[in-house]
Amino acid sequence: MPRLMPDTGPQRVLAASNFIYTVGSGLYLTAGVLFFTEAVHLPAGQVGLGLGIAGLVALALGVVVGHLADRHGARGIYAATLVVQALATACFVLADSFWPFALAVCAAAAAKAAGIAARSPLIRHYGGDRPQEFRAYLRAVTNVGVSLGAVLAGWVVQVGTLTAYQLMVIGNAIAFVVSAVILVLLPPVAPVPTTGGPRWLALGDRPYLLLTVLDGIMAVQFKVLTVAIPLWIVGATTAPHWLISATMLTGTFIVVAFQVRASRNVDSPTAGAHAYRRAGVAFLIACSLISLSAGVPPWAAAALLITAVVIHTIGELWHSAAGFEVSFALAPQHATGQYLGVFGLGAGLAEALGPGLLIALCITWGRPGWYVVGAMFALTGLAAPPAVRWAQRHAGAQQAQLAPTEKATTA
């Protein structure tokens, strides 16, 4: 199990803000898609399309906001993104057709992507000698919050009324506001001065961009638990509907217990590359088991789904640890927000393409689609080691070029 409290005051503030944020997020992650399909009565295809558009809108914003956080102070920028996300989420209750829904989720997704990028300099500044490990700790905290939100979402799904779903959305928005207020207790981080090099350095780093794409393809796996499995349980299996919350809780418990430990073992870009490869294999196995859960008795479907979630979550531990390591280790100190904003494009790619892809392949096509998705994850994992080696060579050459400039600046 991860330690209960971080080592320093600023780390505790970040952890508390993150915890409140993710209690609200857990509500939406578990039942958000069902809110739009069951309460608002939008077709699943329209929901997937709207989420895809939102992901595309959010793609570039993380880079810009990450750069602003580097140059103008990360705390205020991050808090502002949380407030915008709260307002956008509250607007979900007003969505009664496709376009209001699409506008609201676009604003929420853009603010979320911007917030991830703006938070990165805070994690690097207050994360100690290994911010990757503190990032893993935050992910464990995230899953504690998500698990609590999932319990509440389970009640919402069982009740199934419009009022219950609307209360879920408002609770999510309130959590974002409280998370922003807590950040007032965090000491501000001084802006990082420029080094005189290219302004958009990360966008010219081709190996890092390749890793961003690969991580983004693999990040579609996060939508398996939050989009594909709930729809699969409801529409393709005889498993009880309460299993939606049970699968979420199973995954979050494993992450809480083992994410920090898994990240300690992924302590170099090379180790991260190997973790990507292992994750791809785990996702392939999990997708195959999910496919087998259709057309079997309820007890067998439940057993197959829980087993699949356990294996999938082990892969998630490896994938997340790999992403933490390569994204921080290969990003220069003076451009953390910008680089992590670029790396966040991968998550944006998953937000944009993941829901629609999984709905089309796994829900509309059915069982064969799960095998295609699993193979996609496995092939992405195999591509990671050579991509990481290329990025390491490029980072070394980049540091060698920057060293004379840094010496001249300090002379």
Side-chain angles (χ1 to χ4, degrees), residues 37-221:
T37 58
E38 302 296 319
V40 183
H41 302 297
L42 291 175
Q46 286 191 8
V47 173
L49 176 61
L51 294 175
I53 294 172
L56 290 173
V57 169
L59 274 177
L61 196 61
V63 181
V64 176
V65 175
H67 180 72
L68 290 175
D70 285 330
R71 299 293 171 256
H72 301 287
R75 186 188 67 173
I77 300 292
Y78 179 39
T81 66
L82 293 176
V83 173
V84 173
Q85 196 173 352
L87 293 173
T89 300
C91 289
F92 289 174
V93 299
L94 304 176
D96 57 359
S97 60
F98 174 74
W99 285 113
F101 151 71
L103 290 173
V105 296
C106 281
K112 179 180 178 181
I116 293 171
R119 190 181 64 166
S120 298
L122 297 176
I123 294 174
R124 180 160 237 171
H125 184 80
Y126 292 118
D129 294 334
R130 273 189 53 77
Q132 298 94 322
E133 188 172 323
F134 178 56
R135 179 66 185 83
Y137 173 83
L138 287 179
R139 185 159 195 274
V141 171
T142 292
N143 279 268
V144 174
V146 166
S147 66
L148 294 177
V151 171
L152 296 173
W155 171 81
V156 171
V157 172
Q158 286 297 116
V159 173
T161 64
L162 176 61
T163 300
Y165 277 110
Q166 288 177 334
L167 287 174
M168 175 192 76
V169 170
I170 295 301
N172 191 2
I174 291 173
F176 293 160
V177 172
V178 174
S179 178
V181 170
I182 291 173
L183 290 177
V184 174
L185 302 174
L186 188 70
V189 176
V192 180
T194 60
T195 60
R199 182 176 183 181
W200 300 106
L201 182 66
L203 294 177
D205 192 332
R206 288 182 295 173
Y208 199 87
L209 292 175
L210 175 59
L211 286 175
T212 295
V213 171
L214 293 177
D215 187 82
I217 295 171
M218 193 164 280
V220 173
Q221 61 90 5

Side-chain angles (χ1 to χ4, degrees), residues 220-231:
V220 173
Q221 61 90 5
F222 290 113
K223 299 301 178 183
V224 169
L225 294 184
T226 60
V227 175
I229 284 183
L231 293 174

Side-chain angles (χ1 to χ4, degrees), residues 280-290 308 311-312 374:
V281 174
F283 295 144
L284 174 59
I285 295 171
C287 287
S288 301
L289 292 176
I290 295 169
I311 296 172
H312 182 96

